[in-house]
Amino acid sequence: MFTRSELEIKTISELRDLCRRYGIKATGNSEYKTSYIVSLMAFPQIAVSQFKQGKGFRNPDFAAIQVISTAIDEMNSPTDEQAALIKITLEGRRMNYPDRYEQEKLLALHKAKMHLEQAIGLLNQ
């Protein structure tokens, strides 16, 4: 992440701005560059350590992932005609009202399924 030498050449104002940018608090007295440098150098390792300990952000358990997978399965797959309607909708073509509402719902369901599949893929990395 940051090297000590790269941080030491910065002013207190620049270090303070970096800490604000990443939401990091200075360690100790904020009048000294060292307070900012220590915080900026340490936060990546602290974050990884907290993640390993299960503090803060953590992976959902297998049961939660299984619920998402079940939702994907229940959504099923579009028919050929539904797939064609999704494609033409993505091209910007719209049906007349009131069918447009169903067209938008179909597109929203398609997008939701794609996002859920992407989420499963990301969680399984």
Side-chain angles (χ1 to χ4, degrees):
M1 303 272 90
F2 293 111
T3 63
R4 179 170 287 282
S5 59
E6 130 185 61
L7 293 173
E8 285 179 349
I9 61 173
K10 296 192 179 295
T11 65
I12 289 179
S13 177
E14 290 172 323
L15 291 168
R16 185 180 303 120
D17 289 345
L18 272 177
C19 284
R20 282 189 194 133
R21 178 179 179 178
Y22 297 109
I24 304 299
K25 294 179 182 134
T27 306
N29 188 338
S30 61
E31 299 298 317
Y32 298 108
K33 287 173 76 169
T34 308
S35 299
Y36 295 102
I37 291 171
V38 167
S39 296
L40 288 165
M41 289 184 64
F43 84 84
Q45 288 300 319
I46 293 170
V48 169
S49 174
Q50 291 167 339
F51 182 66
K52 287 179 180 178
Q53 294 169 10
K55 291 181 183 175
F57 223 21
R58 58 181 185 258
N59 285 319
D61 63 11
F62 179 73
I65 292 174
Q66 212 168 10
V67 169
I68 297 170
S69 295
T70 301
I72 291 169
D73 290 343
E74 283 186 20
M75 293 171 137
N76 211 348
S77 296
T79 64
D80 292 342
E81 293 78 12
Q82 290 169 339
L85 180 57
I86 290 167
K87 286 178 188 174
I88 201 166
T89 304
L90 290 171
E91 293 173 359
R93 307 278 306 232
R94 299 290 183 261
M95 298 175 74
N96 293 325
Y97 291 105
D99 293 326
R100 184 179 295 187
Y101 296 115
E102 296 303 316
Q103 179 186 16
E104 294 297 329
K105 283 172 58 175
L106 181 65
L107 180 62
L109 184 64
H110 168 71
K111 287 180 178 179
K113 183 176 179 182
M114 288 180 59
H115 287 297
L116 288 172
E117 288 172 343
Q118 185 179 23
I120 290 289
L122 291 169
L123 290 170
N124 286 329
Q125 286 185 350

